[in-house]
Amino acid sequence: MGDKANAHPGAAGRAATADHPASVRNVVLVGHSGSGKTTLVEALALTAGAVNRAGRVEDGTAVSDYDEIEHRQQRSVQLSLVPVEWGGYKINLLDTPGYADFVGELRAGLRAADAALFVVSAAEGVEGITGATRMVWEECAAVGMPRAIVITHLESARADFPQMTRACADAFGGDDPDAVLPLYLPLHGEPGTDGHAPVTGLVGLLSQRVYDYASGERKESEPGPDQLPAIEEARNKLIEGIIAESEDESLMDRYLAGDEIDHKTLVDDLERAVARGVFHPVLAAAPAAGGARQGIGTVELLELVTGGFPTPPERPVPAVTTPDGTPRPALTCDPEGPLAAEVVKTASDPYVGRISLVRVFSGTLRPDDTVHVSGHGLTDRGHEPRDLHEADERVGALSAPFGKQQRPLPRVIAGDLACVAKLSRAETGDTLSAKDDPLLMEPWDMPDPLLPLAIQAHSKADEDKLSQGLSRLVAEDPTMRLEQNQDTHQVVLWCLGEAHADVALERLRSRYGVQVDVVPHKVSLRETFAGRSAGRGRHVKQSGGHGQYAICEIEVEPLPGGSGIEFVDKVVGGAVPRQFIPSVEKGVRAQAAKGVATGNALVDIRVTLLDGKAHSVDSSDAAFQTAGALALREAAAGTTIHLLEPVADVRVLISDEYVGTVMSDLSGRRGRVVGTEQAPGGRTLVRAEVPEIEIGRYAIDLRSLSQGTARFNRSYARHEPMPPQVAQKIREQAGPGA
């Protein structure tokens, strides 16, 4: 790592084809927005020879293909794949968005990768290591994913590499900060007029070699006598850290005895420790400036990826079952094994149609193969039910993506990634397998969308296209949920945040030609009677010919929450003929569904039919339905009508330092904290009951309160009476008669 002969870079414009899983490296870049992930990917592609100049492929297409909204807001909103070749290895670089709203894209990248590079900006100092980044680190640690750290923006005047390495050790080292150590130290040039000394290269701690990038090309040399003492302390600490994680227990004894551990042994042990996920090297990188062919630290980083990160066969394949849930034996990353591939991302191209980014875990995928598509049936998120989602499909062209280009591939073996065209039924998270041996891979963890966005078609033309556009949108993004609310009659897109919602609207407009208007989101309120009341419904009309005649008398009393509507018949003497009693009930229930005060459904009452009158000729089913509705409305006028609001069970997982702030905020939302419990990692789980009307924007507000470190989920608990002052505002909004 920085200690090997320069590898031969790949040729620009050529699609890399992996011949064996051991020649593949799948690496996901993780970091907060602005940390420099995309710039680093471009610099790595330039160094590897995949592009001819920074950020461009041969025809001038940008390396990363962004949505229109990304160009406007200067941020990545989707996972992008950039494959490069280095030293005979194919490296799939997965660039993920750093903004919290697009965590679904990040999780897709983690699923497709075998190792992670955590990118931290030196320009932002310690604050650049966000709580959200630490949470992702812990998730990777839980599954044993190897990780390394790259400190970027070394050219910044604020950059302090020693301070950042200490901060990384504190943030990511946990109980073992000595497992997070730098492999290189920055080499600084002469200070400028502002006193800032630019970074011109790196000094390898193990090799004790200088890698000078000042000329735009990496040049290697011996360190000067004045440089060796400066690196001695850091070098000794690194050697001790490597030996501490070595599988060779005799190595520590030899080191303590004063033996000189040879360079090759140290490098080999370092690479094994990195691949096992027990040692996390810190590297430094700066993008190529001007016409420079190589960015500072890019060669060293590529060597770490190829030498220290694990091969796909070294990582476990996700568990598989048959589509009906029957367990299957564990698979291995074998090109000759059963086909098991997963769609980690789907996108729509206006010319090609749907394109699926696929990770092949087992077997080999070839163009024109017929595969079976199995899904998890995310019906709660607007997807098709699983039994309708199962389908056989013919695989279209296979290609290696590079910006807007698609370079053809003859096959995709186990361990590799590629784009597959024209899988019209496949959605993100679906499994592709042999049609005669269908499989289903266990799903990866996806966050629940908790920010509601109520929409309606802008015009009649948009209304005709809305349903299809929305179904395609949620098929691409499983972190989005589509709801057709039967109570409020609203179409609701549940998103992860405001930026996520903005992207959804932009994609509807630009990709699917659907213009929508955002309207205020409504919660499903209810009404109920505060006390006992009686009502008389009289529907008598005579207008020539067959008339209408129905009279009924009812009594209404409130019931406990959750009781619904009970209808009791206590008519005696045939005052209401037996055939019309169901008609009265039907009219009562129809009116209850419409509400009697604010247009919200009436619930939790018992309606007792006591008496009535009928006519031998003019009474009818329709007449008694109308009379029943009129009787209920009259009864409502004689008592107070309570508005019931939905209350949610809210569970917030929060760092201990923010517990007081979060609990105070919940109280301000009319919430009741019902318990707290300690959680691992210095966190607290806060459980509360909060009216849903108060947490419409909680996904946004909680992120602000906790600096992005908190998570929450919610579930419906019950409806309960709304405070009078809040209910009065709702009645005023409902208009006259409320």
Side-chain angles (χ1 to χ4, degrees), residues 165 187 192 202 243 279 310 350 387 389 410 507 548 574 611 656 706:
T165 55
L187 180 68
L202 302 172
I243 292 175
F279 189 83
D387 57 345
H389 194 58
R507 286 177 177 169
Q548 299 180 55
D611 202 356
D656 290 345
S706 67

Side-chain angles (χ1 to χ4, degrees), residues 547-569:
Q548 299 180 55
Y549 189 98
I551 297 174
C552 64
E553 296 180 6
I554 63 171
E555 184 180 71
V556 183
E557 57 187 310
L559 292 177
S563 299
I565 296 178
E566 291 183 16
F567 185 84
V568 179
D569 169 24

